Amino acid sequence: FGGLTYRNRFPSLREQFSGALNRFKANPDLKPEKGTLTDIGFIYGNGALRLKLSGFYNTYTDLITQIRLTAAQDAQRRRMRVNLADARIIGAEAVFAWRPSRFLSIDGNVTWMDAKGKADGVTEDKIDNKPELLGGLSVEVRPLRQLGISFESEFTGKQVETNPAVPAEKLEIAGSVVFNARVSYSLVTPKWSADLFVRANNIFDHY
């Protein structure tokens, strides 16, 4: 498969006006980001196994990203969403789903990205808060048809962030893994269906 898409994305109300419990400084002047997205890959399916491999090359104007404000810009040194003049992101993605039986399903994905941008005429080899690697793995067991028990892991690779004290310097943020768990029960009738579930995110309370 392959695709070429031109996309305009307007900032959401949350991105423009929400302070996210005072973690962000609102920026009502955010402009729409414009992007040309290209991807190519293939999908393989063989009974219980489904695999997708793809590569992508995306270019953006006014890409919406986030920065950490300096103390001079904001006494609380909150984050703020801003537009980058230009950005280029290349990468590759692998996704798989394995259903060996009715009782077990395993899903996984991993994405590698190389993101570069330009702001105020200065080229940045790495864009703030764009991890090199992202991945996840989910295992679900169904001892009963209606009952599902799943465990998930989410991996975020290392990334960089501009040093608020020295704007020309980038600080490296180490990668992290979090683990989640979910228990669900399906209610099914001839006329309607619903899921009841309990979910715990980051069960080890660690980033």
Side-chain angles (χ1 to χ4, degrees):
F1 66 89
L4 173 64
T5 306
Y6 178 77
R7 185 187 72 175
N8 274 5
R9 187 178 79 83
F10 288 85
S12 67
L13 292 176
R14 180 181 63 84
E15 289 175 320
Q16 285 184 294
F17 300 106
S18 172
L21 299 178
N22 208 36
R23 292 185 297 111
F24 279 82
K25 183 178 180 180
N27 182 5
D29 297 323
L30 272 180
K31 296 180 288 187
E33 67 177 31
K34 297 170 282 292
T36 301
L37 287 61
T38 57
D39 67 323
I40 187 171
F42 74 91
I43 297 174
Y44 170 79
N46 181 15
L49 178 65
R50 181 179 174 85
L51 175 67
K52 183 179 83 168
L53 299 176
S54 62
F56 55 87
Y57 181 93
N58 302 334
T59 58
Y60 298 89
T61 302
D62 293 325
L63 177 71
I64 296 173
T65 185
Q66 56 181 260
I67 62 171
R68 174 79 67 177
L69 297 171
T70 66
Q73 294 170 319
D74 180 58
Q76 301 177 58
R77 293 177 61 176
R78 292 170 292 181
R79 297 178 183 272
M80 186 171 75
R81 295 180 177 89
V82 298
N83 294 103
L84 282 181
D86 297 288
R88 184 274 292 155
I89 302 176
I90 63 173
E93 181 181 49
V95 180
F96 80 90
W98 185 40
R99 306 286 186 270
S101 73
R102 182 181 68 81
F103 306 101
L104 176 66
S105 61
I106 302 175
D107 297 88
N109 66 85
V110 61
T111 302
W112 168 81
M113 293 185 296
D114 178 52
K116 299 181 185 295
K118 182 182 291 185
D120 299 324
V122 178
T123 298
E124 298 184 353
D125 288 334
K126 294 184 182 294
I127 298 176
D128 285 13
N129 303 294
K130 291 289 185 184
E132 293 181 349
L133 283 174
L134 290 170
L137 182 67
S138 173
V139 178
E140 183 180 55
V141 178
R142 283 194 169 271
L144 303 173
R145 186 178 295 274
Q146 298 91 345
L147 178 65
I149 303 170
S150 61
F151 299 93
E152 306 168 356
S153 65
E154 299 174 357
F155 170 75
T156 302
K158 65 179 181 180
Q159 52 190 307
V160 299
E161 184 171 277
T162 300
N163 186 346
V166 186
E169 179 182 305
K170 296 284 188 180
L171 301 176
E172 185 172 292
I173 303 172
S176 63
V177 181
V178 298
F179 296 90
N180 312 317
R182 183 177 188 269
V183 178
S184 63
Y185 190 85
S186 299
L187 302 175
V188 180
T189 74
K191 295 185 177 181
W192 57 269
S193 63
D195 275 351
L196 304 176
F197 69 90
V198 176
R199 180 180 178 87
N201 289 341
N202 194 15
I203 57 180
F204 296 116
D205 192 23
H206 176 72
Y207 285 96

